[in-house]
């Protein structure tokens, strides 16, 4: 459907589009959590169920994750909010007038709240175990690691960076933004 989706750094975002049975104009964009990608079992299962119900899906990997271009060390909520914007740009530039929902898991949930707060193209929001307090999450999960030396959940392909920690602390919590989200929201 789309030739390429590139973020503002011109990194190619890996995605998988699937038409819903019946070909309607509803689409759910599916975003993953920390250290994941578009091909996690929960994401492919969700997409399959939505497709069978007549809803199109677009699963994508944030930059630096999965087969998307970019450096994992640059992955952080603020950059992922921008990546989601690039996906929405591609959808709105297509030849269809999509009714767009976004489903995010874990940090992808926090990203969805931040994007829905600033972007009216998201008409419905779904948070699957959505992260709220990003600073607390980073402290609890990675507080014992040294940035530049440690790996998130002992995954060598997921080095902990100071940029990630700084951004998690800068975002701090999406709770105040959540109070202002005006679209239907499934938690």
């Amino acid at each position: 459907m789309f030739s390429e989706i590139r973020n503002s750094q011109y990194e190619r975002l890996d995605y998988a589009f699937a038409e819903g049975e019946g070909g309607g104009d509803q689409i759910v964009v599916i975003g993953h959590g920390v250290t994941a990608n578009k091909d996690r079992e929960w994401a492919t299962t969700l997409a399959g169920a939505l497709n069978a119900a007549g809803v199109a899906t677009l699963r994508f990997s944030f930059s630096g994750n999965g087969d998307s271009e970019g450096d994992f060390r640059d992955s952080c909520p603020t950059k992922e909010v921008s990546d989601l914007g690039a996906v929405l740009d591609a959808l709105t530039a297509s030849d269809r007038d999509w009714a767009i929902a976004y489903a995010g898991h874990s940090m992808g949930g926090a990203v969805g709240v931040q994007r829905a707060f600033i972007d009216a193209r998201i008409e419905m929001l779904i948070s699957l175990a959505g992260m709220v307090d990003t600073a607390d999450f980073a402290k609890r999960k990675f507080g014992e690691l040294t940035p530049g030396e440690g790996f998130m959940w002992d995954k060598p392909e997921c080095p902990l960076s100071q940029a990630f920690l700084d951004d998690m602390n800068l975002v701090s919590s999406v709770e105040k933004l959540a109070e202002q989200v005006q679209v239907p929201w499934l938690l």
Side-chain angles (χ1 to χ4, degrees):
M1 164 151 237
F2 315 100
S3 58
E4 284 188 326
I5 300 176
R6 293 197 173 265
N7 65 13
S8 60
Q9 290 79 27
Y10 208 67
E11 297 161 332
R12 183 192 49 77
L13 301 178
D14 182 38
Y15 71 91
F17 171 80
E19 193 71 64
E21 292 180 18
D25 289 330
Q26 296 177 323
I27 190 166
V28 176
V29 175
I30 301 173
H32 60 81
V34 178
T35 74
N37 62 64
K38 70 174 181 51
D39 295 321
R40 295 292 292 264
E41 184 177 357
W42 71 266
T44 59
T45 300
L46 175 61
L50 288 165
N51 299 151
V55 178
T57 56
L58 190 151
R59 296 177 287 114
F60 77 102
S61 295
F62 291 107
S63 57
N65 291 267
D67 290 330
S68 286
E69 294 177 352
D71 188 331
F72 180 82
R73 292 170 292 190
D74 297 328
S75 297
C76 62
T78 300
K79 187 172 184 198
E80 292 184 0
V81 169
S82 178
D83 287 351
L84 177 54
V87 171
L88 298 175
D89 290 346
L91 286 172
T92 55
S94 72
D95 59 352
R96 290 176 63 182
D97 186 21
W98 293 106
I100 302 171
Y102 173 75
H105 175 257
S106 185
M107 191 163 88
V111 166
V113 172
Q114 292 175 85
R115 191 76 213 187
F117 176 73
I118 62 169
D119 197 327
R121 295 177 293 183
I122 295 177
E123 298 177 38
M124 184 169 59
L125 186 60
I126 303 162
S127 294
L128 305 168
M131 189 184 296
V132 176
D133 192 328
T134 58
D136 179 66
F137 177 88
K139 181 179 178 184
R140 282 185 296 109
K141 299 297 182 181
F142 310 119
E144 301 295 318
L145 299 176
T146 302
E149 296 176 17
F151 302 104
M152 296 180 178
W153 293 300
D154 296 322
K155 296 179 176 182
E157 69 275 17
C158 301
L160 179 65
S161 70
Q162 190 62 53
F164 172 81
L165 293 176
D166 290 347
D167 198 57
M168 294 290 275
N169 286 317
L170 179 66
V171 171
S172 183
S173 174
V174 297
E175 185 175 3
K176 295 249 185 259
L177 296 179
E179 295 170 357
Q180 300 174 52
V181 170
Q182 298 298 307
V183 298
W185 189 359
L186 177 63
L187 301 171

